[in-house]
Coordinates of all heavy atoms in Angstrom, one line a residue:
H779 N 8.8 10.6 -1.7 CA 8.7 9.2 -1.5 C 9.6 8.4 -2.4 O 9.8 8.8 -3.6 CB 7.2 8.7 -1.7 CG 6.3 9.2 -0.7 ND1 6.2 8.7 0.6 CD2 5.4 10.2 -0.7 CE1 5.3 9.3 1.3 NE2 4.8 10.2 0.5
K780 N 10.2 7.3 -1.9 CA 11.0 6.5 -2.7 C 10.4 5.1 -2.8 O 10.8 4.2 -2.1 CB 12.4 6.4 -2.1 CG 13.1 7.7 -2.1 CD 14.5 7.5 -1.4 CE 15.2 8.9 -1.4 NZ 16.5 8.7 -0.7
G781 N 9.4 5.0 -3.6 CA 8.7 3.7 -3.7 C 8.7 3.3 -5.2 O 9.5 3.8 -6.0
V782 N 7.7 2.5 -5.5 CA 7.6 2.0 -6.9 C 6.2 2.2 -7.4 O 5.2 2.1 -6.6 CB 8.0 0.5 -7.0 CG1 9.4 0.3 -6.7 CG2 7.1 -0.4 -6.1
N783 N 6.1 2.6 -8.7 CA 4.8 2.6 -9.3 C 4.6 1.3 -10.0 O 5.4 0.9 -10.9 CB 4.7 3.8 -10.3 CG 4.6 5.1 -9.6 OD1 3.8 5.3 -8.8 ND2 5.4 6.1 -10.0
L784 N 3.5 0.6 -9.7 CA 3.2 -0.7 -10.3 C 2.1 -0.6 -11.2 O 1.1 0.0 -11.0 CB 2.9 -1.7 -9.2 CG 3.9 -1.9 -8.1 CD1 3.4 -2.7 -6.9 CD2 5.2 -2.5 -8.6
N785 N 2.2 -1.3 -12.4 CA 1.1 -1.4 -13.3 C 0.3 -2.7 -12.9 O 0.9 -3.7 -12.6 CB 1.6 -1.6 -14.7 CG 2.1 -0.3 -15.3 OD1 1.6 0.8 -15.0 ND2 3.2 -0.4 -16.1
T786 N -1.0 -2.5 -12.9 CA -1.9 -3.6 -12.4 C -3.0 -3.7 -13.4 O -3.1 -2.9 -14.3 CB -2.4 -3.3 -11.0 OG1 -3.3 -2.2 -11.1 CG2 -1.4 -3.0 -10.0
A787 N -3.9 -4.6 -13.2 CA -5.2 -4.6 -13.9 C -6.0 -3.5 -13.4 O -5.8 -3.0 -12.2 CB -5.9 -5.9 -13.6
E788 N -6.8 -2.9 -14.2 CA -7.6 -1.8 -13.8 C -8.5 -2.2 -12.6 O -9.1 -3.2 -12.6 CB -8.5 -1.4 -15.0 CG -9.3 -0.1 -14.8 CD -10.1 0.2 -16.0 OE1 -10.5 -0.6 -16.8 OE2 -10.4 1.4 -16.1
F789 N -8.5 -1.3 -11.6 CA -9.2 -1.6 -10.3 C -8.9 -2.9 -9.6 O -9.8 -3.5 -9.0 CB -10.7 -1.4 -10.6 CG -11.1 -0.1 -11.2 CD1 -11.7 0.0 -12.5 CD2 -10.9 1.1 -10.5 CE1 -12.0 1.2 -13.0 CE2 -11.2 2.3 -11.1 CZ -11.8 2.4 -12.3
A790 N -7.7 -3.4 -9.8 CA -7.3 -4.7 -9.2 C -7.3 -4.5 -7.7 O -7.0 -3.5 -7.1 CB -5.9 -5.0 -9.6
P791 N -7.7 -5.6 -7.0 CA -7.7 -5.6 -5.5 C -6.2 -5.4 -5.0 O -5.3 -5.9 -5.6 CB -8.2 -6.9 -5.1 CG -8.4 -7.7 -6.3 CD -8.1 -6.9 -7.5
V792 N -6.1 -4.7 -3.9 CA -4.8 -4.4 -3.3 C -4.8 -5.1 -1.9 O -5.8 -5.0 -1.2 CB -4.5 -2.9 -3.1 CG1 -3.2 -2.7 -2.4 CG2 -4.5 -2.3 -4.5
Y793 N -3.8 -5.8 -1.6 CA -3.8 -6.6 -0.3 C -2.6 -6.2 0.6 O -1.6 -5.7 0.1 CB -3.5 -8.1 -0.7 CG -4.5 -8.6 -1.7 CD1 -4.3 -8.7 -3.0 CD2 -5.8 -9.1 -1.2 CE1 -5.2 -9.2 -3.9 CE2 -6.7 -9.6 -2.1 CZ -6.4 -9.7 -3.4 OH -7.4 -10.1 -4.3
A794 N -2.9 -6.3 1.9 CA -1.9 -6.0 2.9 C -0.7 -6.9 2.7 O -0.8 -8.1 2.6 CB -2.4 -6.1 4.3
M795 N 0.6 -6.3 2.7 CA 1.8 -7.1 2.6 C 2.1 -8.0 3.8 O 2.8 -9.0 3.6 CB 3.0 -6.3 2.2 CG 3.5 -5.5 3.3 SD 5.2 -4.8 2.9 CE 5.9 -4.8 4.6
D796 N 1.6 -7.6 4.9 CA 1.8 -8.3 6.2 C 0.8 -8.0 7.2 O 0.0 -7.0 7.0 CB 3.3 -8.0 6.7 CG 3.8 -9.0 7.7 OD1 3.1 -10.0 8.0 OD2 4.9 -8.8 8.1
T797 N 0.8 -8.7 8.3 CA -0.1 -8.3 9.4 C 0.3 -7.0 10.0 O 1.4 -6.7 10.1 CB 0.0 -9.4 10.5 OG1 -0.4 -10.7 9.9 CG2 -0.9 -9.1 11.7
G798 N -0.7 -6.2 10.3 CA -0.4 -4.9 10.9 C -1.7 -4.1 11.2 O -2.8 -4.5 10.9
Q799 N -1.5 -2.8 11.7 CA -2.6 -2.0 12.0 C -2.6 -0.8 11.0 O -1.5 -0.1 10.8 CB -2.5 -1.5 13.4 CG -3.7 -0.6 13.8 CD -3.7 -0.3 15.3 OE1 -2.6 -0.1 15.9 NE2 -4.8 -0.1 15.9
V800 N -3.8 -0.4 10.5 CA -3.9 0.8 9.6 C -3.7 2.0 10.5 O -4.4 2.2 11.5 CB -5.3 0.8 9.0 CG1 -5.5 2.0 8.1 CG2 -5.6 -0.5 8.2
I801 N -2.7 2.9 10.0 CA -2.4 4.1 10.7 C -2.8 5.3 9.9 O -2.9 6.4 10.5 CB -0.9 4.2 11.1 CG1 0.0 4.1 9.9 CG2 -0.6 3.1 12.2 CD1 1.5 4.4 10.2
F802 N -3.2 5.1 8.6 CA -3.7 6.2 7.8 C -4.6 5.7 6.7 O -4.2 4.7 6.1 CB -2.6 7.1 7.2 CG -3.1 8.2 6.4 CD1 -3.4 9.4 7.0 CD2 -3.2 8.1 5.0 CE1 -3.9 10.5 6.2 CE2 -3.7 9.1 4.2 CZ -4.0 10.3 4.8
S803 N -5.7 6.3 6.5 CA -6.6 5.9 5.4 C -7.3 7.1 4.9 O -8.2 7.7 5.6 CB -7.6 4.8 5.8 OG -8.5 4.5 4.8
G804 N -6.9 7.7 3.7 CA -7.5 8.9 3.3 C -6.7 9.6 2.2 O -5.8 8.9 1.6
Q805 N -7.0 10.8 1.9 CA -6.3 11.6 0.9 C -5.0 12.1 1.4 O -4.9 12.7 2.5 CB -7.2 12.7 0.4 CG -8.3 12.4 -0.5 CD -7.9 11.9 -1.8 OE1 -6.9 12.2 -2.4 NE2 -8.7 11.0 -2.4
A806 N -3.9 11.9 0.7 CA -2.6 12.5 1.0 C -2.2 13.4 -0.2 O -2.5 13.1 -1.3 CB -1.6 11.4 1.2
T807 N -1.5 14.5 0.1 CA -1.2 15.5 -0.9 C -0.4 14.9 -2.0 O -0.7 15.2 -3.2 CB -0.3 16.6 -0.2 OG1 -1.0 17.1 0.9 CG2 0.0 17.7 -1.2
D808 N 0.6 14.0 -1.8 CA 1.5 13.6 -2.9 C 1.1 12.2 -3.4 O 1.6 11.8 -4.4 CB 2.9 13.6 -2.4 CG 3.2 13.0 -1.1 OD1 2.2 12.6 -0.4 OD2 4.4 12.9 -0.7
T809 N 0.3 11.4 -2.7 CA 0.0 10.1 -3.2 C -1.5 9.8 -3.4 O -1.9 8.7 -3.6 CB 0.6 9.0 -2.2 OG1 0.1 9.3 -0.9 CG2 2.1 9.0 -2.3
G810 N -2.3 10.8 -3.3 CA -3.8 10.7 -3.5 C -4.4 9.8 -2.4 O -4.0 9.8 -1.3
L811 N -5.4 9.0 -2.8 CA -6.1 8.1 -1.9 C -5.1 7.1 -1.4 O -4.5 6.3 -2.2 CB -7.3 7.5 -2.5 CG -8.3 6.7 -1.6 CD1 -8.7 7.6 -0.5 CD2 -9.5 6.2 -2.4
T812 N -4.8 7.0 -0.1 CA -3.6 6.3 0.4 C -4.0 5.5 1.7 O -4.8 6.0 2.5 CB -2.5 7.3 0.7 OG1 -2.1 8.0 -0.5 CG2 -1.3 6.6 1.4
I813 N -3.4 4.4 1.9 CA -3.4 3.6 3.1 C -2.0 3.4 3.6 O -1.1 3.1 2.8 CB -4.1 2.2 2.8 CG1 -5.5 2.4 2.4 CG2 -4.0 1.4 4.1 CD1 -6.2 1.1 1.9
M814 N -1.8 3.5 4.9 CA -0.5 3.2 5.6 C -0.8 2.2 6.6 O -1.8 2.3 7.4 CB 0.1 4.4 6.2 CG 0.7 5.4 5.1 SD 1.6 6.7 5.9 CE 3.0 5.8 6.6
I815 N 0.0 1.1 6.7 CA -0.1 0.1 7.7 C 1.2 -0.1 8.4 O 2.3 -0.1 7.8 CB -0.5 -1.3 7.0 CG1 -1.8 -1.1 6.3 CG2 -0.6 -2.4 8.1 CD1 -2.2 -2.4 5.5
R816 N 1.1 -0.1 9.8 CA 2.3 -0.4 10.6 C 2.4 -1.8 10.9 O 1.4 -2.5 11.4 CB 2.2 0.4 11.9 CG 3.4 0.2 12.8 CD 3.4 1.0 14.1 NE 3.5 2.4 13.8 CZ 2.6 3.4 14.2 NH1 1.6 3.0 15.0 NH2 2.7 4.6 13.9
H817 N 3.5 -2.4 10.6 CA 3.8 -3.9 10.8 C 4.8 -4.1 11.9 O 5.5 -3.2 12.3 CB 4.3 -4.4 9.5 CG 3.5 -4.1 8.3 ND1 2.3 -4.8 8.0 CD2 3.6 -3.2 7.3 CE1 1.8 -4.3 6.9 NE2 2.6 -3.3 6.4
P818 N 4.9 -5.4 12.3 CA 5.9 -5.7 13.3 C 7.3 -5.5 12.8 O 7.5 -5.4 11.6 CB 5.7 -7.2 13.6 CG 4.3 -7.5 13.1 CD 4.0 -6.5 12.0
G819 N 8.2 -5.3 13.7 CA 9.6 -5.1 13.3 C 10.0 -3.7 12.8 O 11.0 -3.5 12.1
G820 N 9.1 -2.7 13.1 CA 9.4 -1.3 12.7 C 9.1 -1.0 11.2 O 9.5 0.0 10.7
L821 N 8.4 -1.9 10.5 CA 8.0 -1.6 9.1 C 6.7 -0.9 9.0 O 5.8 -1.1 9.8 CB 7.9 -2.9 8.3 CG 9.2 -3.7 8.1 CD1 8.9 -5.0 7.3 CD2 10.2 -2.9 7.3
E822 N 6.6 0.0 8.0 CA 5.3 0.6 7.6 C 5.2 0.5 6.0 O 6.2 0.7 5.3 CB 5.3 2.1 8.0 CG 5.2 2.3 9.4 CD 5.1 3.7 9.8 OE1 5.2 4.6 9.0 OE2 5.1 4.0 11.0
S823 N 4.0 0.1 5.6 CA 3.8 0.0 4.1 C 2.8 1.1 3.7 O 1.9 1.4 4.5 CB 3.3 -1.4 3.7 OG 2.1 -1.7 4.4
L824 N 3.0 1.7 2.5 CA 2.2 2.7 2.0 C 1.7 2.3 0.6 O 2.4 1.8 -0.2 CB 3.0 4.0 1.9 CG 2.2 5.2 1.4 CD1 2.7 6.5 2.1 CD2 2.2 5.4 -0.1
Y825 N 0.4 2.4 0.5 CA -0.3 2.0 -0.8 C -1.0 3.3 -1.3 O -2.0 3.8 -0.6 CB -1.3 0.9 -0.6 CG -0.8 -0.2 0.2 CD1 -0.7 -0.2 1.6 CD2 -0.4 -1.4 -0.4 CE1 -0.1 -1.2 2.4 CE2 0.1 -2.5 0.3 CZ 0.3 -2.4 1.7 OH 0.8 -3.4 2.4
G826 N -0.5 3.9 -2.4 CA -1.1 5.2 -2.8 C -1.7 5.1 -4.2 O -1.4 4.2 -5.0
G827 N -2.4 6.2 -4.5 CA -3.0 6.3 -5.9 C -4.2 5.3 -6.0 O -4.4 4.8 -7.1
L828 N -4.8 5.0 -4.9 CA -5.9 4.0 -5.0 C -7.2 4.6 -5.5 O -7.4 5.8 -5.5 CB -6.2 3.4 -3.6 CG -5.0 2.8 -2.9 CD1 -5.3 2.5 -1.4 CD2 -4.6 1.5 -3.6
S829 N -8.1 3.8 -6.0 CA -9.4 4.2 -6.5 C -10.4 4.1 -5.4 O -11.4 4.9 -5.4 CB -9.9 3.4 -7.7 OG -10.1 2.1 -7.4
E830 N -10.2 3.2 -4.4 CA -11.1 3.1 -3.3 C -10.3 2.4 -2.1 O -9.4 1.6 -2.4 CB -12.4 2.4 -3.6 CG -12.2 0.9 -3.9 CD -13.6 0.3 -4.2 OE1 -14.2 0.6 -5.3 OE2 -14.0 -0.6 -3.4
V831 N -10.8 2.6 -0.9 CA -10.2 1.9 0.3 C -11.3 1.2 1.0 O -12.5 1.6 0.9 CB -9.5 2.9 1.2 CG1 -8.4 3.6 0.6 CG2 -10.5 3.9 1.8
S832 N -11.0 0.1 1.7 CA -12.0 -0.7 2.4 C -11.6 -0.9 3.8 O -12.1 -1.8 4.5 CB -12.2 -2.0 1.7 OG -11.0 -2.7 1.5
V833 N -10.7 0.0 4.3 CA -10.2 -0.1 5.7 C -10.3 1.3 6.4 O -10.3 2.3 5.7 CB -8.8 -0.7 5.8 CG1 -8.8 -2.1 5.3 CG2 -7.8 0.2 5.1
A834 N -10.2 1.3 7.7 CA -10.2 2.6 8.4 C -9.1 2.6 9.4 O -8.5 1.5 9.8 CB -11.5 2.8 9.2
V835 N -8.6 3.7 9.9 CA -7.6 3.9 10.9 C -8.0 3.0 12.1 O -9.1 3.1 12.5 CB -7.4 5.3 11.2 CG1 -6.4 5.5 12.4 CG2 -6.8 6.1 10.0
G836 N -7.0 2.2 12.6 CA -7.2 1.4 13.7 C -7.6 0.0 13.4 O -7.5 -0.9 14.2
D837 N -8.0 -0.3 12.1 CA -8.3 -1.7 11.7 C -7.0 -2.5 11.8 O -5.9 -2.1 11.4 CB -8.8 -1.7 10.3 CG -10.2 -1.2 10.2 OD1 -10.9 -0.9 11.2 OD2 -10.7 -1.1 9.0
W838 N -7.1 -3.8 12.2 CA -6.1 -4.8 12.2 C -6.2 -5.6 10.9 O -7.3 -6.2 10.7 CB -6.1 -5.6 13.4 CG -5.5 -4.9 14.6 CD1 -6.3 -4.2 15.5 CD2 -4.2 -4.7 15.0 NE1 -5.5 -3.6 16.4 CE2 -4.2 -3.9 16.1 CE3 -3.0 -5.2 14.5 CZ2 -3.0 -3.6 16.8 CZ3 -1.8 -4.9 15.1 CH2 -1.8 -4.0 16.3
M839 N -5.1 -5.7 10.2 CA -5.1 -6.5 8.9 C -4.3 -7.7 9.0 O -3.3 -7.7 9.8 CB -4.5 -5.6 7.8 CG -5.1 -4.2 7.6 SD -6.9 -4.2 7.5 CE -7.2 -5.2 6.1
K840 N -4.6 -8.7 8.3 CA -3.8 -9.9 8.2 C -3.1 -9.9 6.9 O -3.6 -9.3 5.9 CB -4.7 -11.2 8.3 CG -5.4 -11.4 9.7 CD -6.3 -12.6 9.7 CE -6.9 -12.7 11.0 NZ -7.9 -13.8 11.1
V841 N -2.0 -10.6 6.8 CA -1.3 -10.7 5.5 C -2.2 -11.2 4.4 O -3.0 -12.1 4.6 CB 0.0 -11.6 5.6 CG1 -0.4 -13.0 6.0 CG2 0.8 -11.6 4.4
G842 N -2.2 -10.5 3.3 CA -3.0 -10.9 2.1 C -4.5 -10.5 2.2 O -5.3 -10.8 1.3
E843 N -4.9 -9.7 3.2 CA -6.3 -9.3 3.4 C -6.5 -8.1 2.5 O -5.6 -7.2 2.4 CB -6.5 -8.9 4.8 CG -8.0 -8.8 5.1 CD -8.3 -8.7 6.7 OE1 -7.3 -8.8 7.5 OE2 -9.4 -8.6 7.0
P844 N -7.6 -8.0 1.7 CA -7.9 -6.9 0.8 C -8.0 -5.6 1.6 O -8.7 -5.5 2.7 CB -9.1 -7.2 0.1 CG -9.8 -8.3 0.9 CD -8.7 -9.0 1.7
I845 N -7.4 -4.5 1.1 CA -7.5 -3.2 1.7 C -8.1 -2.1 0.8 O -8.4 -1.0 1.3 CB -6.1 -2.7 2.3 CG1 -5.1 -2.7 1.1 CG2 -5.6 -3.7 3.4 CD1 -3.7 -2.1 1.5
G846 N -8.1 -2.4 -0.5 CA -8.6 -1.4 -1.4 C -8.5 -1.8 -2.8 O -8.2 -3.0 -3.1
K847 N -8.6 -0.9 -3.8 CA -8.4 -1.2 -5.2 C -7.5 -0.2 -5.9 O -7.5 1.0 -5.5 CB -9.8 -1.2 -5.9 CG -10.7 -2.3 -5.4 CD -12.0 -2.4 -6.3 CE -12.8 -3.5 -5.8 NZ -14.0 -3.6 -6.6
A848 N -6.7 -0.7 -6.8 CA -5.9 0.1 -7.6 C -6.7 1.1 -8.5 O -7.9 0.9 -8.7 CB -5.0 -0.7 -8.5
A849 N -6.0 2.1 -9.0 CA -6.7 3.1 -9.8 C -6.7 2.6 -11.3 O -6.0 1.7 -11.7 CB -6.0 4.4 -9.7
A850 N -7.5 3.4 -12.1 CA -7.5 3.1 -13.5 C -6.5 4.1 -14.2 O -6.6 5.3 -14.0 CB -8.9 3.4 -14.1
K851 N -5.5 3.6 -14.8 CA -4.6 4.5 -15.5 C -5.1 4.8 -16.9 O -5.0 5.9 -17.4 CB -3.2 3.8 -15.6 CG -2.1 4.6 -16.2 CD -0.8 4.0 -16.2 CE 0.3 4.8 -16.8 NZ 1.6 4.2 -16.7
D852 N -5.5 3.8 -17.6 CA -6.1 3.9 -18.9 C -7.1 2.7 -19.1 O -7.2 1.9 -18.1 CB -5.1 3.9 -20.0 CG -4.2 2.7 -20.1 OD1 -4.8 1.6 -20.0 OD2 -3.0 2.8 -20.3
P853 N -7.8 2.6 -20.2 CA -8.8 1.5 -20.3 C -8.3 0.1 -20.1 O -9.0 -0.8 -19.8 CB -9.4 1.7 -21.6 CG -9.1 3.2 -22.0 CD -7.8 3.5 -21.3
A854 N -7.0 -0.1 -20.3 CA -6.4 -1.4 -20.3 C -5.7 -1.8 -19.0 O -5.6 -3.0 -18.7 CB -5.4 -1.6 -21.4
K855 N -5.2 -0.8 -18.2 CA -4.5 -1.2 -17.0 C -4.6 -0.2 -15.9 O -5.1 1.0 -16.1 CB -3.0 -1.4 -17.3 CG -2.3 -0.2 -17.9 CD -0.9 -0.6 -18.3 CE -0.3 0.6 -19.1 NZ 1.1 0.3 -19.5
G856 N -4.2 -0.5 -14.7 CA -4.3 0.4 -13.6 C -2.9 0.7 -13.0 O -1.9 0.1 -13.5
T857 N -2.8 1.4 -11.9 CA -1.6 1.7 -11.3 C -1.7 1.7 -9.7 O -2.8 1.8 -9.2 CB -1.1 3.1 -11.6 OG1 -2.0 4.1 -11.2 CG2 -0.8 3.3 -13.1
L858 N -0.6 1.5 -9.1 CA -0.5 1.5 -7.6 C 0.8 2.0 -7.2 O 1.8 1.6 -7.8 CB -0.7 0.1 -7.1 CG -0.4 -0.2 -5.6 CD1 -1.4 0.5 -4.7 CD2 -0.4 -1.6 -5.3
Y859 N 0.9 3.0 -6.3 CA 2.1 3.4 -5.7 C 2.4 2.6 -4.4 O 1.5 2.6 -3.6 CB 2.1 4.9 -5.5 CG 3.4 5.4 -4.8 CD1 4.5 5.6 -5.6 CD2 3.5 5.6 -3.5 CE1 5.7 6.0 -5.0 CE2 4.7 6.0 -2.9 CZ 5.8 6.2 -3.6 OH 7.0 6.6 -3.1
F860 N 3.6 2.1 -4.3 CA 3.8 1.2 -3.1 C 5.2 1.6 -2.5 O 6.2 1.7 -3.3 CB 3.8 -0.3 -3.5 CG 4.1 -1.2 -2.4 CD1 3.3 -1.4 -1.3 CD2 5.3 -1.9 -2.3 CE1 3.5 -2.3 -0.3 CE2 5.6 -2.7 -1.3 CZ 4.7 -2.9 -0.3
S861 N 5.3 1.8 -1.2 CA 6.6 2.1 -0.6 C 6.6 1.4 0.8 O 5.6 1.1 1.4 CB 6.9 3.6 -0.5 OG 6.1 4.2 0.4
V862 N 7.8 1.2 1.3 CA 8.0 0.6 2.6 C 9.1 1.4 3.4 O 10.1 1.8 2.8 CB 8.5 -0.9 2.4 CG1 8.8 -1.5 3.8 CG2 7.5 -1.7 1.6
M863 N 8.8 1.6 4.6 CA 9.7 2.3 5.5 C 10.1 1.4 6.7 O 9.2 0.6 7.1 CB 9.1 3.6 6.1 CG 8.9 4.7 5.0 SD 8.4 6.3 5.7 CE 6.8 5.8 6.3
K864 N 11.3 1.5 7.1 CA 11.7 0.8 8.3 C 12.3 1.8 9.3 O 13.2 2.5 9.0 CB 12.8 -0.3 8.0 CG 13.2 -1.1 9.2 CD 14.1 -2.3 8.9 CE 14.5 -2.9 10.2 NZ 13.9 -4.2 10.4
E865 N 11.6 1.9 10.4 CA 12.0 2.8 11.5 C 12.1 4.2 10.9 O 13.0 5.0 11.2 CB 13.2 2.4 12.2 CG 13.1 1.0 12.9 CD 14.3 0.4 13.4 OE1 15.4 1.0 13.3 OE2 14.2 -0.7 14.0
G866 N 11.1 4.6 10.0 CA 11.0 6.0 9.5 C 11.9 6.2 8.3 O 11.8 7.3 7.8
V867 N 12.6 5.3 7.8 CA 13.5 5.5 6.6 C 13.0 4.6 5.5 O 12.7 3.4 5.6 CB 15.0 5.1 7.0 CG1 15.8 5.2 5.7 CG2 15.5 5.9 8.1
T868 N 12.8 5.2 4.3 CA 12.3 4.5 3.2 C 13.3 3.5 2.7 O 14.5 3.8 2.6 CB 11.9 5.5 2.0 OG1 11.0 6.4 2.5 CG2 11.3 4.7 0.8
I869 N 12.9 2.3 2.5 CA 13.8 1.2 2.0 C 13.3 0.7 0.7 O 12.1 0.9 0.3 CB 13.9 0.1 3.0 CG1 12.6 -0.6 3.3 CG2 14.5 0.6 4.3 CD1 12.7 -1.9 4.1
N870 N 14.1 -0.1 0.0 CA 13.7 -0.7 -1.3 C 12.6 -1.7 -1.0 O 12.8 -2.7 -0.3 CB 14.9 -1.4 -1.9 CG 14.6 -2.0 -3.3 OD1 13.4 -2.1 -3.7 ND2 15.6 -2.3 -4.0
P871 N 11.4 -1.6 -1.6 CA 10.3 -2.5 -1.3 C 10.7 -4.0 -1.7 O 10.2 -4.9 -1.1 CB 9.1 -2.0 -2.2 CG 9.4 -0.6 -2.4 CD 10.9 -0.5 -2.4
A872 N 11.5 -4.1 -2.7 CA 11.9 -5.5 -3.2 C 12.7 -6.2 -2.1 O 12.9 -7.4 -2.1 CB 12.8 -5.4 -4.4
D873 N 13.2 -5.5 -1.1 CA 13.9 -6.1 0.0 C 13.0 -6.8 1.0 O 13.4 -7.7 1.8 CB 14.8 -5.1 0.8 CG 15.9 -4.6 0.0 OD1 16.3 -5.2 -1.0 OD2 16.5 -3.5 0.4
V874 N 11.7 -6.5 1.0 CA 10.8 -7.1 1.9 C 9.6 -7.9 1.2 O 8.8 -8.6 1.9 CB 10.2 -6.1 2.9 CG1 11.3 -5.6 3.8 CG2 9.5 -5.0 2.2
I875 N 9.4 -7.7 -0.1 CA 8.3 -8.4 -0.8 C 8.7 -8.7 -2.2 O 9.5 -8.0 -2.8 CB 7.0 -7.5 -0.8 CG1 5.8 -8.2 -1.2 CG2 7.3 -6.2 -1.6 CD1 4.5 -7.5 -1.0
S876 N 8.2 -9.8 -2.7 CA 8.5 -10.2 -4.1 C 7.5 -9.6 -5.0 O 6.3 -9.6 -4.8 CB 8.5 -11.8 -4.1 OG 8.6 -12.2 -5.4
F877 N 8.0 -9.2 -6.2 CA 7.2 -8.6 -7.2 C 7.1 -9.6 -8.4 O 7.8 -9.4 -9.4 CB 7.7 -7.2 -7.7 CG 7.6 -6.2 -6.6 CD1 8.7 -5.8 -5.9 CD2 6.4 -5.5 -6.4 CE1 8.6 -4.9 -4.9 CE2 6.3 -4.5 -5.4 CZ 7.4 -4.2 -4.7
D878 N 6.3 -10.6 -8.3 CA 6.2 -11.6 -9.3 C 5.1 -11.2 -10.3 O 4.1 -10.7 -10.0 CB 5.9 -13.0 -8.8 CG 7.1 -13.5 -8.0 OD1 8.3 -13.1 -8.3 OD2 6.9 -14.4 -7.1

């Protein structure tokens, strides 16, 4: 995967980057507890290394809707793996979402 590892608050809520349908929710070999969402325009977002998920395959998400929680990396902060694909090719996530 060519995504980014983000530091977050421990167990911080994770939100859908855009409206779309959940196409995977469960354990993945390389990203642990993972959610994938298919969005309009051929985009798919992947949220990995989660501590919990609150969506199931087939659910329709709205932009900014909570989908799960980040993991605990250490007592002070958490982590989240995030990647974006366009038409099956991994792209730079910063090209479609702002990391403020």
Side-chain angles (χ1 to χ4, degrees):
H779 290 284
K780 295 180 182 177
V782 293
N783 285 311
L784 303 170
N785 288 324
T786 69
E788 184 178 29
F789 304 117
V792 176
Y793 304 98
M795 74 165 207
D796 197 359
T797 300
Q799 186 175 29
V800 177
I801 59 172
F802 181 84
S803 179
Q805 287 290 332
T807 303
D808 49 354
T809 55
L811 191 54
T812 300
I813 297 169
M814 287 185 69
I815 301 175
R816 180 176 295 127
H817 306 282
L821 290 178
E822 291 180 0
S823 57
L824 183 147
Y825 311 80
L828 301 171
S829 63
E830 67 180 69
V831 299
S832 55
V833 297
V835 171
D837 287 353
W838 283 93
M839 310 308 304
K840 294 179 182 174
V841 61
E843 195 167 1
I845 59 173
K847 291 188 178 179
K851 182 176 183 180
D852 62 43
K855 59 185 174 182
T857 61
L858 168 70
Y859 176 79
F860 178 71
S861 71
V862 178
M863 291 186 295
K864 182 170 178 110
E865 299 171 1
V867 177
T868 304
I869 62 172
N870 184 346
D873 290 344
V874 294
I875 191 168
S876 174
F877 293 99
D878 292 336

